[in-house]
Amino acid sequence: MSKNNLSPEYQEEIISILKTRFEKNKTRHEGIEWNKVQEKLEANPSKLWSLLEMEKTDGEPDVVGYDKNSNEYVFFDCVAESPKGRRSLCYDRKALDSRKEHKPKNSAIDMAEEMGIDILTEEQYRNLQELGNFDTKTSSWIATTPEVRKLGGALFSDFRYGRTFVYHNGAESYYAARGFRGCLKV
C-alpha cells in the first residue's frame, strides 16, 4: 500500500468510514452532498491515502466545508481531543534537531508532511471550534508564522472556559496531551 496505490479494499474501507461519519455529523457540512464528496475521493487515490493516515492516527477526519474557488472539499480532524497517534511531538525538524536528549519520535510538521496534510492554521482551528468543543483536555500545535518561529517559539491552541485560546511555547517542547490536527482538501 503506497501513497498513490491504495488497494481497492482499503479504498472501500476508508470511504465507508468517512460516509458513516459524514451522515452522523451533518451539522459539520450542511448543504454538502455525500455522493459528490465520494466522486472526488474516488478520483484522488493519494488523498484517500492521506485520509486513511489521518484515520489510523485517530484523527477522525470529516468534511467541514467546500472551497468554491478550488472546487475542493475540506476535511479536518474532528476527534474530540488531539489525535492520540500524533501526540508527544515537538513542532518542527529544527526544534527536533535542537534537542540534545529525550527527543520525541518526530515533529508535527514532519509527520503532517509525511501524511500529505497541513497543520491547521489559527483561523481553521477557530472554525473547527464553531462546529463543537474540541481539545477541552488536550491541545494542538497550529501553523506558526516565520516571525514567531525565528524567535524559537511555536503556537498551539485549545478550548477552555467556553473559548478558544492560542498560546506559545518553545518549539522543541512536547507533551503527552499535545498533538496536531490536520487539514486536507480533496
mmCIF file of all heavy atoms in Angstrom, residues 40 42 52 56 64 84 100 125 136 140 142-143 166 172 179:
data_model
loop_
_atom_site.group_PDB
_atom_site.id
_atom_site.type_symbol
_atom_site.label_atom_id
_atom_site.label_comp_id
_atom_site.label_asym_id
_atom_site.label_seq_id
_atom_site.Cartn_x
_atom_site.Cartn_y
_atom_site.Cartn_z
ATOM 1 N N LYS A 40 -15.165 12.799 -5.711
ATOM 2 C CA LYS A 40 -13.849 13.438 -5.576
ATOM 3 C C LYS A 40 -12.850 12.480 -4.935
ATOM 4 O O LYS A 40 -11.694 12.401 -5.355
ATOM 5 C CB LYS A 40 -13.948 14.705 -4.723
ATOM 6 C CG LYS A 40 -14.546 15.863 -5.427
ATOM 7 C CD LYS A 40 -13.510 16.520 -6.296
ATOM 8 C CE LYS A 40 -13.847 17.977 -6.460
ATOM 9 N NZ LYS A 40 -12.810 18.677 -7.162
ATOM 10 N N GLU A 42 -12.855 9.170 -4.876
ATOM 11 C CA GLU A 42 -12.517 8.066 -5.772
ATOM 12 C C GLU A 42 -11.590 8.508 -6.906
ATOM 13 O O GLU A 42 -10.806 7.711 -7.414
ATOM 14 C CB GLU A 42 -13.792 7.431 -6.332
ATOM 15 C CG GLU A 42 -14.557 6.662 -5.268
ATOM 16 C CD GLU A 42 -15.937 6.187 -5.706
ATOM 17 O OE1 GLU A 42 -16.446 6.664 -6.751
ATOM 18 O OE2 GLU A 42 -16.496 5.338 -4.994
ATOM 19 N N LEU A 52 -6.765 8.028 5.077
ATOM 20 C CA LEU A 52 -6.556 6.780 5.822
ATOM 21 C C LEU A 52 -5.492 6.980 6.895
ATOM 22 O O LEU A 52 -5.644 6.500 8.026
ATOM 23 C CB LEU A 52 -6.164 5.646 4.871
ATOM 24 C CG LEU A 52 -5.953 4.278 5.515
ATOM 25 C CD1 LEU A 52 -7.224 3.788 6.216
ATOM 26 C CD2 LEU A 52 -5.490 3.264 4.478
ATOM 27 N N LYS A 56 -5.932 6.381 10.779
ATOM 28 C CA LYS A 56 -5.075 5.440 11.517
ATOM 29 C C LYS A 56 -4.412 6.086 12.727
ATOM 30 O O LYS A 56 -4.067 5.398 13.683
ATOM 31 C CB LYS A 56 -4.003 4.859 10.587
ATOM 32 C CG LYS A 56 -4.581 3.824 9.644
ATOM 33 C CD LYS A 56 -3.666 3.311 8.555
ATOM 34 C CE LYS A 56 -2.203 3.346 8.730
ATOM 35 N NZ LYS A 56 -1.455 2.837 7.557
ATOM 36 N N VAL A 64 -15.689 19.474 6.492
ATOM 37 C CA VAL A 64 -16.112 20.653 7.256
ATOM 38 C C VAL A 64 -16.432 21.836 6.357
ATOM 39 O O VAL A 64 -16.798 22.895 6.843
ATOM 40 C CB VAL A 64 -15.057 21.065 8.307
ATOM 41 C CG1 VAL A 64 -14.877 19.969 9.353
ATOM 42 C CG2 VAL A 64 -13.735 21.419 7.644
ATOM 43 N N LYS A 84 -4.642 10.883 19.206
ATOM 44 C CA LYS A 84 -3.725 10.108 20.047
ATOM 45 C C LYS A 84 -2.473 9.659 19.320
ATOM 46 O O LYS A 84 -1.398 9.620 19.891
ATOM 47 C CB LYS A 84 -4.446 8.885 20.620
ATOM 48 C CG LYS A 84 -5.456 9.221 21.671
ATOM 49 C CD LYS A 84 -6.135 7.968 22.200
ATOM 50 C CE LYS A 84 -7.228 8.347 23.172
ATOM 51 N NZ LYS A 84 -8.001 7.177 23.595
ATOM 52 N N LYS A 100 18.983 17.884 22.651
ATOM 53 C CA LYS A 100 20.184 17.071 22.873
ATOM 54 C C LYS A 100 19.842 15.708 23.450
ATOM 55 O O LYS A 100 20.523 14.728 23.201
ATOM 56 C CB LYS A 100 21.160 17.802 23.807
ATOM 57 C CG LYS A 100 21.593 19.156 23.290
ATOM 58 C CD LYS A 100 22.374 19.030 22.005
ATOM 59 C CE LYS A 100 22.805 20.383 21.501
ATOM 60 N NZ LYS A 100 22.609 20.592 20.106
ATOM 61 N N TYR A 125 -8.459 26.496 12.982
ATOM 62 C CA TYR A 125 -8.715 25.955 14.321
ATOM 63 C C TYR A 125 -9.937 26.633 14.939
ATOM 64 O O TYR A 125 -10.799 25.975 15.521
ATOM 65 C CB TYR A 125 -7.481 26.133 15.219
ATOM 66 C CG TYR A 125 -7.591 25.380 16.520
ATOM 67 C CD1 TYR A 125 -7.179 24.062 16.617
ATOM 68 C CD2 TYR A 125 -8.143 25.989 17.649
ATOM 69 C CE1 TYR A 125 -7.288 23.361 17.808
ATOM 70 C CE2 TYR A 125 -8.259 25.298 18.838
ATOM 71 C CZ TYR A 125 -7.828 23.986 18.917
ATOM 72 O OH TYR A 125 -7.966 23.291 20.103
ATOM 73 N N THR A 136 -10.724 19.994 24.795
ATOM 74 C CA THR A 136 -11.087 20.504 26.117
ATOM 75 C C THR A 136 -10.159 19.952 27.206
ATOM 76 O O THR A 136 -10.138 20.492 28.314
ATOM 77 C CB THR A 136 -12.548 20.161 26.474
ATOM 78 O OG1 THR A 136 -12.692 18.746 26.508
ATOM 79 C CG2 THR A 136 -13.518 20.772 25.472
ATOM 80 N N SER A 140 -3.425 21.384 20.668
ATOM 81 C CA SER A 140 -2.925 21.038 19.345
ATOM 82 C C SER A 140 -2.016 22.138 18.806
ATOM 83 O O SER A 140 -2.369 23.322 18.868
ATOM 84 C CB SER A 140 -4.092 20.843 18.368
ATOM 85 O OG SER A 140 -4.887 19.739 18.732
ATOM 86 N N ILE A 142 -0.564 24.511 16.105
ATOM 87 C CA ILE A 142 -1.154 25.126 14.913
ATOM 88 C C ILE A 142 -0.031 25.770 14.101
ATOM 89 O O ILE A 142 1.069 25.996 14.618
ATOM 90 C CB ILE A 142 -2.255 26.161 15.262
ATOM 91 C CG1 ILE A 142 -1.713 27.281 16.150
ATOM 92 C CG2 ILE A 142 -3.456 25.465 15.898
ATOM 93 C CD1 ILE A 142 -2.701 28.416 16.395
ATOM 94 N N ALA A 143 -0.310 26.049 12.836
ATOM 95 C CA ALA A 143 0.695 26.654 11.965
ATOM 96 C C ALA A 143 1.203 27.947 12.591
ATOM 97 O O ALA A 143 0.426 28.769 13.080
ATOM 98 C CB ALA A 143 0.099 26.908 10.590
ATOM 99 N N VAL A 166 -5.150 30.712 22.097
ATOM 100 C CA VAL A 166 -3.924 30.499 21.341
ATOM 101 C C VAL A 166 -2.778 30.880 22.262
ATOM 102 O O VAL A 166 -2.791 31.952 22.864
ATOM 103 C CB VAL A 166 -3.891 31.361 20.057
ATOM 104 C CG1 VAL A 166 -2.556 31.216 19.346
ATOM 105 C CG2 VAL A 166 -5.031 30.979 19.137
ATOM 106 N N GLU A 172 10.632 23.288 20.636
ATOM 107 C CA GLU A 172 11.240 21.995 20.948
ATOM 108 C C GLU A 172 10.493 21.241 22.052
ATOM 109 O O GLU A 172 10.769 20.082 22.314
ATOM 110 C CB GLU A 172 12.715 22.175 21.328
ATOM 111 C CG GLU A 172 12.954 22.804 22.694
ATOM 112 C CD GLU A 172 12.680 24.312 22.765
ATOM 113 O OE1 GLU A 172 12.563 24.968 21.702
ATOM 114 O OE2 GLU A 172 12.565 24.826 23.894
ATOM 115 N N GLY A 179 -0.905 17.326 20.499
ATOM 116 C CA GLY A 179 -0.649 16.737 19.183
ATOM 117 C C GLY A 179 -0.852 17.801 18.130
ATOM 118 O O GLY A 179 -0.522 18.974 18.341
#
